[in-house]
Amino acid sequence: MLMSVRSLMAATILATSSFVAAPAVAQDIELSGNSAIVSEYRFRGVDLSGGDIAVQGGVDASIGGFYVGTWGSSLDEDTVGYGHTELDIYGGYGGSIGDTFSYDVGVLAYLYPNAGPGDFDYVEFYGSVGAGVGPAEVSVGVAYAPKQDSLGSTDNFYLYSDVGVGIPDTPISLSAHLGYTDGFLTFTNDSKAFDWSVGADVALGEIVSVGVAYIGAEGDIAPGAYDFVDDTIVVTLGASF
């Protein structure tokens, strides 16, 4: 799971032996975007689109390791109850250590601008580390949402690991994910649940990709109630630019 702003320019003035300043080194803001149509929106294994297609997209800006961004998705307001739109706003810092290790820390706000009466928005802090192991990329991360009214005056802890492997000389990459939630954002009686996924993506040129993933999560769903965590196959048509 895989996904920066400061000032427009950072300058460093270097003095020569004759005390003449060298030209300033400027860093430009880098912008990137993404969009997708998914057969179903799953968040940590939980269905948030009522089993229907969802439209998603986001924009990021980064400079010198710092980044800010926003991402949104359509929701199913009838089954989920959070309105028909999710809007995420986040910021953080990421970098690398040598050629092998990477890291990322930040804060993310989940916003539901057209939800009904009540508290729905919440804030979460996150961090992850990754490493290249041969052709694979392995990462582990944690996310923590402190006590908030929207979380039933409780907190939420999420721990996960991701593995991605690109098949050499092909446009195909494989991925696997395992997560563990302890807190409010589960559908289990003891507020603890694992979620999982395995998938494959095919790059169709430099911008467009098609993916398929098998996704599910633990849950104690009452008979006759909508099953938010049943295992399913999700197909994604995505673009990045």
Side-chain angles (χ1 to χ4, degrees):
M1 169 246 5
L2 10 295
M3 83 301 300
S4 311
V5 179
R6 248 99 23 115
S7 58
L8 177 63
M9 181 180 296
T12 303
I13 305 300
L14 301 178
T16 66
S17 59
S18 58
F19 301 99
V20 177
V25 178
Q27 288 183 298
D28 295 327
I29 293 177
E30 296 184 5
L31 298 176
S32 61
N34 61 86
S35 61
I37 298 175
V38 296
S39 61
E40 187 175 311
Y41 174 25
R42 289 283 176 133
F43 174 72
R44 297 174 184 171
V46 176
D47 174 12
L48 296 184
S49 64
D52 292 333
I53 290 173
V55 178
Q56 304 174 337
V59 178
D60 296 291
S62 64
I63 183 171
F66 290 93
Y67 63 86
V68 295
T70 183
W71 181 89
S73 177
S74 58
L75 305 175
D76 180 68
E77 54 188 324
D78 295 327
T79 56
V80 178
Y82 279 30
H84 58 66
T85 302
E86 175 184 329
L87 177 63
D88 301 343
I89 299 175
Y90 49 85
Y93 183 84
S96 59
I97 303 174
D99 297 327
T100 301
F101 298 99
S102 62
Y103 59 89
D104 181 31
V105 293
V107 59
L108 189 155
Y110 297 88
L111 308 177
Y112 304 93
N114 51 27
D119 294 312
F120 296 91
D121 304 341
Y122 65 97
V123 174
E124 184 178 73
F125 301 91
Y126 61 84
S128 65
V129 293
V133 182
E137 293 288 336
V138 180
S139 64
V140 293
V142 62
Y144 179 71
K147 292 182 179 180
Q148 297 161 71
D149 291 342
S150 54
L151 301 180
S153 297
T154 63
D155 60 359
N156 195 85
F157 174 81
Y158 186 67
L159 180 67
Y160 67 91
S161 179
D162 292 317
V163 179
V165 180
I167 300 178
D169 302 319
T170 76
I172 301 172
S173 59
L174 307 177
S175 62
H177 164 87
L178 180 63
Y180 174 75
T181 302
D182 184 350
F184 185 81
L185 301 175
T186 68
F187 283 86
T188 56
N189 295 329
D190 62 359
S191 298
K192 297 176 175 60
F194 284 97
D195 69 273
W196 54 83
S197 71
V198 291
D201 289 274
V202 179
L204 306 178
E206 297 182 358
I207 296 177
V208 179
S209 65
V210 175
V212 60
Y214 180 83
I215 303 175
E218 291 184 306
D220 298 313
I221 306 297
Y226 185 81
D227 192 348
F228 288 90
V229 294
D230 60 328
D231 289 8
T232 191
I233 294 176
V234 174
V235 178
T236 301
L237 174 62
S240 57
F241 46 89

